[in-house]
Amino acid sequence: MFEPSPTDALVDRLDSFRRDTPAVELLLHFNNAGAALSPRPVVDAVIGHVELEAQVGGYEAAALAADAEAVLYRSAAHLLNCEQREVAFAVSASEAWWRAFSALPLQAGDRVLCGHSEYISNAFGLIQARNRGVSVELIPDDKSGQIDLEELEAALDERVKLVALTHVPTSSGLVNPAEEVGALAKNVGALYLLDACQSAGQLPLDVQAIGCDFLSITGRKFLRAPRGTGLLFARSSVLPELGHSPFIDGRSAQWTSPWEYQLDPTARRFELFEVSYAAKLGLGVAIDYALDVGLDRIAHRVGRLAAALRSALVEVPGVEVHDQGERRCGIVTFSIGGMPASEVTTSLRQRRINTSFGTASAAQFDLGLRGVPEVVRASVHYYNTEDEVGRFVDEVRTLAVTV
């Protein structure tokens, strides 16, 4: 049913990717939007550093790994097309987003515009700002389900201090038009914060083309890095405009006199001293691995596999696919009528198939307003195969018959 595409530039390397990912011989992993399977070089880097810490001490191991740590920032800058000084390490995309958002000098009466795709932790930040008197306004979706660019343009004026957008929502496979939003925000001088949590590692990200001032990503998803890793891009030109994050330490600032301190002039002001160096080094290796594969090639293969999965699921009686948007990615959301999403996920896991599920309570702007109570989320990656797509659809069909 599903044949490799002759235009898929990664087909010839698929065997090597799967050798680097031995778990694919034991299970079918369609939960890459939750946490992808790390390739062997990433695992080796993490384990190697933990062993080094045990042998020489934590501080001493960090000093010995200084060159590898520096590579992380160079690689991250390459990944995002920015300067190294504009990249900060974080333990998650949520932490990165919050560090940027909490440093914005928003005051009562300021306007913030956001889309329906906002992630739950981002939404909590927006709600807190709203409770402080900031006007937080939800821009409608267009007919395809992505943020409505005409509505956004009409809402923008000089009182808008921030446009916050999630590139790819956690509850759907759509890809929001990030570059077009960036151009509109720039027209009125508004800052632009993009959550690329679900797009990093499966889609190319160029902060110059996107035009964002901040961009938050996680490592554990499509970048295939360890959990507890992420990045924040913060454009150098906007740093002088920012307030002070409520959480700073000796990594973020210098203690210049008994009652004064000076924030780091680079994006490192958003970092804290204590992190897992093993995980941090693993993130650097994961970024290099993705860059070697090629983000354009990854996007092509992931998009094609997801499209095949989506098309096949539509044909299964009792299954409804819930993805929206003009452009879609590697996330496929669906439901089986009469079977709770959590039960679908559990049943599939018993068959050694990994998926996840989402509920309206975690996506009130999206699923809640659409009247969709819950969805099963299947998310493919470039190391998945056409045969796995076929097997997955067969298993879903079997479950649907039992309802």
Side-chain angles (χ1 to χ4, degrees), residues 168-179:
V168 172
T170 189
S171 50
S172 173
L174 75 85
V175 181
N176 269 312
E179 293 186 14

Side-chain angles (χ1 to χ4, degrees), residues 102-368:
S102 63
L104 299 175
L106 296 174
Q107 300 177 357
D110 288 342
R111 297 179 66 209
V112 173
L113 308 182
C114 65
H116 282 248
S117 296
E118 290 310 303
Y119 189 61
I120 183 172
S121 59
N122 306 356
F124 290 161
L126 295 168
I127 292 169
Q128 287 187 14
R130 186 172 182 268
N131 291 340
R132 297 195 306 269
V134 175
S135 177
V136 179
E137 303 165 35
L138 195 61
I139 300 300
D141 288 338
D142 65 17
K143 292 181 180 179
S144 75
Q146 67 185 25
I147 190 169
D148 191 312
L149 295 173
E150 292 184 359
E151 292 279 358
L152 175 62
E153 184 173 19
L156 283 165
D157 61 27
E158 68 281 355
R159 293 178 298 128
V160 175
K161 304 303 180 184
L162 177 71
V163 175
L165 181 70
T166 293
H167 197 191
V168 172
T170 189
S171 50
S172 173
L174 75 85
V175 181
N176 269 312
E179 293 186 14
E180 291 84 346
V181 170
L184 292 174
K186 184 178 180 180
N187 287 340
V188 298
L191 294 176
Y192 179 23
L193 169 56
L194 182 69
D195 182 334
C197 177
Q198 294 287 13
S199 51
Q202 68 157 321
L203 300 174
L205 292 173
D206 182 337
V207 296
Q208 310 310 329
I210 292 170
C212 56
D213 299 293
F214 305 97
L215 182 142
S216 59
I217 67 177
T218 190
R220 76 175 192 270
K221 298 177 183 289
F222 291 95
L223 274 174
R224 307 182 66 189
R227 297 195 70 172
T229 61
L231 294 171
L232 172 65
F233 159 75
R235 193 174 295 279
S236 294
S237 61
V238 305
L239 292 181
E241 306 173 28
L242 302 181
H244 286 205
S245 172
F247 302 106
I248 59 175
D249 67 5
R251 175 74 170 181
S252 322
Q254 287 188 337
W255 199 0
T256 54
S257 71
W259 298 107
E260 295 179 317
Y261 64 86
Q262 182 67 46
L263 286 175
D264 191 292
T266 74
R268 308 297 159 78
R269 67 174 58 192
F270 296 109
E271 295 188 347
L272 294 177
F273 172 78
E274 187 53 39
V275 297
S276 167
Y277 271 77
K280 191 174 186 180
L281 298 181
L283 174 61
V285 174
I287 292 173
D288 286 341
Y289 196 99
L291 290 172
D292 176 67
V293 177
L295 273 301
D296 287 324
R297 292 188 290 271
I298 290 173
H300 179 267
R301 178 166 176 80
V302 169
R304 194 183 64 79
L305 287 173
L309 175 57
R310 207 174 279 118
S311 296
L313 287 174
V314 168
E315 301 301 321
V316 178
V319 170
E320 182 177 0
V321 174
H322 297 284
D323 293 327
Q324 301 187 106
E326 292 183 11
R327 182 186 178 196
R328 300 177 184 180
C329 63
I331 298 174
V332 180
T333 57
F334 67 95
S335 59
I336 299 177
M339 180 176 288
S342 59
E343 185 178 334
V344 175
T345 299
T346 299
S347 297
L348 290 171
R349 187 170 298 167
Q350 291 170 349
R351 294 164 168 79
R352 303 192 68 79
I353 299 175
N354 292 342
T355 58
S356 60
F357 68 94
T359 64
S361 62
Q364 290 287 5
F365 293 163
D366 181 15
L367 297 182

